């Protein structure tokens, strides 16, 4: 965004338009940059979600909807940046930066994505979004960029009510990662400051909006991502600090392992076909459900991400992530020793 004065008009620009304001006549004329011929190109991507035959890729001011059956791509204007997302019953829910809260998009209505829930003041950066099927809640974790700490949020699409809690972990730790099982939300902490606590896991009752228990897994870095399969909560630590696994029945850490061969810093985890998969800046990998050892699925994936890599899965267990600037589909038939990658359309173009 920017503003200037030209002649007797005020000019302002957004990601999409130049707006010419006449303060005397009290009129405004909007000039669409694309229609005016401004060149566009691929932008780095953010959130990613798959479901109901669609894959959504979040960018700045735009969410790209990839319709898999028709191989069509449509670009949905959405103010801010979709940092993470989930598809529930064909409806998209995103965590929208900067201070936009939770957005929703229903492709059956034709209405553009819009805000359905606001987050508390200062909680400007939603980082992770998941679906609590037991309670029917969209669960989100967020970061306060300026004040430290973060918040928990639970949005009910049926009642349109949102429950929030500022600093559910502590005053320094944001909620970097969220996961859910049996109606309990699990919050993973990180810290923007060089000192102070990080990597705390908190079990949270989303209806009572209160802590159930907490555990520090003994990691030297904050949590980048979490996923749950069976009775195990898998956590991926930042800066290649490793994998940790918590037995939710005993509330004990049962495994710590090295991930430096497949990750550098940020990453994401996704459960598909009974396997926990991960993606980093460089690699798509799987975690053995018995030994918890990591093995490579796709090397040199090198996705074009802006704020950390993402990976998602559809109802058939097919995985989606980025390879360079392209959205790719991965069919990991590990039992048969086969791997299939299908390139899809490029990520959304950024209008200038």
């Amino acid at each position: 965004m920017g503003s200037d004065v030209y002649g007797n008009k005020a000019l302002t620009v957004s990601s999409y338009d130049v707006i010419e304001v006449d303060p005397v006549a009290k009129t405004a004329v909007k000039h669409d940059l694309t229609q005016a011929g401004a060149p566009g190109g691929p932008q780095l991507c953010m959130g990613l979600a798959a479901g109901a035959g669609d894959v959504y890729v979040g960018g700045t001011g735009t969410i790209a909807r990839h319709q898999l059956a028709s191989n069509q791509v449509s670009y949905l204007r959405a103010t801010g940046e979709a940092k993470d997302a989930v598809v529930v019953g064909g409806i998209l829910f995103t965590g929208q930066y900067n201070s936009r809260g939770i957005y929703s998009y229903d492709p059956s209505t034709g209405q553009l994505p819009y805000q359905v829930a606001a987050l508390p003041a200062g909680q400007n950066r939603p980082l992770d979004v998941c679906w609590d099927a037991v309670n029917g809640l969209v669960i989100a974790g967020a970061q306060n960029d300026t004040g430290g700490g973060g918040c928990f949020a639970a949005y009910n699409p049926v009642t349109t009510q949102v429950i929030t809690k500022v600093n559910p972990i502590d005053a320094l730790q944001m909620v970097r990662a969220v996961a859910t099982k049996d109606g309990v939300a699990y919050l993973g902490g990180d810290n923007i400051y060089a000192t102070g606590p990080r990597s705390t896991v908190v079990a949270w009752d989303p209806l009572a909006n209160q802590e159930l228990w907490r555990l520090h897994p003994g990691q030297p870095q904050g949590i980048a991502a979490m996923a749950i399969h069976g009775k195990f909560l898998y956590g991926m630590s930042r800066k290649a600090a490793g994998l940790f696994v918590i037995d939710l029945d005993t509330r004990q850490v049962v495994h710590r392992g090295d991930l430096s061969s497949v990750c550098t810093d940020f990453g994401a985890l996704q459960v598909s076909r009974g396997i926990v998969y991960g993606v980093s800046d460089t690699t798509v990998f799987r975690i053995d459900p018995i030994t918890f050892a990591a093995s490579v699925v796709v090397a040199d994936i090198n996705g074009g991400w802006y704020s950390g890599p993402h990976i998602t899965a559809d109802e058939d267990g097919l995985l989606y992530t980025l390879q360079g600037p392209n959205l790719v589909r991965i069919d990991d038939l590990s039992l048969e020793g086969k791997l299939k990658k299908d390139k899809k359309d490029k990520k959304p173009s950024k209008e200038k």
Side-chain angles (χ1 to χ4, degrees):
M1 298 287 290
S3 299
D4 206 345
V5 175
Y6 182 75
N8 61 351
K9 304 286 181 66
L11 301 178
T12 184
V13 63
S14 72
S15 300
Y16 317 105
D17 311 292
V18 171
I19 302 173
E20 186 180 27
V21 180
D22 187 328
V24 177
K26 298 181 180 179
T27 60
V29 178
K30 184 168 62 176
H31 304 278
D32 185 279
L33 291 171
T34 302
Q35 294 176 3
Q43 61 169 293
L44 295 175
C45 293
M46 301 184 205
L48 189 66
D54 295 321
V55 181
Y56 295 91
V57 185
T60 300
T62 304
I63 298 172
R65 180 192 178 197
H66 295 253
Q67 296 172 262
L68 301 179
S70 61
N71 205 31
Q72 293 182 329
V73 183
S74 54
Y75 300 103
L76 311 171
R77 289 193 178 186
T79 304
E81 301 170 353
K83 292 297 189 183
D84 196 34
V86 65
V87 176
V88 181
I91 299 174
L92 176 72
F93 296 95
T94 74
Q96 207 77 9
Y97 170 89
N98 182 355
S99 297
R100 301 290 176 176
I102 298 172
Y103 270 39
S104 178
Y105 170 71
D106 184 345
S108 68
T109 67
Q111 182 179 0
L112 289 175
Y114 63 98
Q115 186 190 67
V116 292
L119 299 184
Q123 305 298 325
N124 63 306
R125 188 182 294 270
L127 293 169
D128 202 6
V129 179
C130 69
W131 174 244
D132 175 358
V134 173
N135 296 311
L137 299 171
V138 177
I139 303 294
Q143 169 184 339
N144 183 326
D145 279 357
T146 57
C151 86
F152 160 82
Y155 169 69
N156 188 322
V158 175
T159 66
T160 71
Q161 299 299 305
V162 61
I163 297 170
T164 63
K165 178 67 174 181
V166 174
N167 294 341
I169 303 177
D170 57 48
L172 293 178
Q173 291 189 73
M174 71 188 77
V175 184
R176 169 77 70 184
V178 293
T180 182
K181 175 181 169 60
D182 297 335
V184 176
Y186 295 89
L187 318 180
D190 193 9
N191 186 342
I192 62 175
Y193 300 108
T195 59
R198 63 200 69 233
S199 82
T200 303
V201 176
V202 175
W204 195 265
D205 184 330
L207 297 181
N209 202 25
Q210 64 184 17
E211 179 180 329
L212 297 174
W213 53 270
R214 65 174 53 206
L215 172 68
H216 194 289
Q219 298 296 99
Q221 300 294 336
I223 296 172
M226 297 193 310
I228 298 173
H229 179 60
K231 67 175 184 175
F232 296 119
L233 183 150
Y234 297 70
M236 181 179 178
S237 297
R238 289 193 54 200
K239 300 182 180 180
L243 172 75
F244 63 89
V245 181
I246 298 172
D247 185 323
L248 295 177
D249 291 342
T250 64
R251 304 178 187 176
Q252 299 292 321
V253 176
V254 295
H255 176 81
R256 294 184 184 92
D258 182 20
L259 290 180
S260 60
S261 65
V262 294
C263 75
T264 56
D265 189 350
F266 289 106
L269 298 175
Q270 172 69 49
V271 179
S272 175
R273 298 171 177 170
I275 300 292
V276 175
Y277 290 89
V279 66
S280 68
D281 289 342
T282 62
T283 309
V284 175
F285 57 94
R286 70 177 77 83
I287 300 172
D288 188 282
I290 304 299
T291 66
F292 305 125
S295 58
V296 174
V297 175
V298 183
D300 302 320
I301 197 75
N302 301 332
W305 300 103
Y306 176 74
S307 53
H310 289 257
I311 189 168
T312 189
D314 64 17
E315 296 88 345
D316 295 324
L318 297 170
L319 299 167
Y320 299 86
T321 190
L322 293 185
Q323 184 174 50
N326 297 312
L327 176 65
V328 294
R329 179 172 62 208
I330 302 169
D331 187 1
D332 179 32
L333 303 178
S334 56
L335 294 179
E336 292 81 10
K338 297 178 181 179
L339 172 67
K340 178 182 178 182
K341 292 190 295 175
D342 295 325
K343 283 193 176 182
K344 304 302 295 181
D345 294 289
K346 287 187 176 181
K347 54 188 175 177
S349 296
K350 183 175 182 179
E351 297 169 324
K352 297 182 181 178

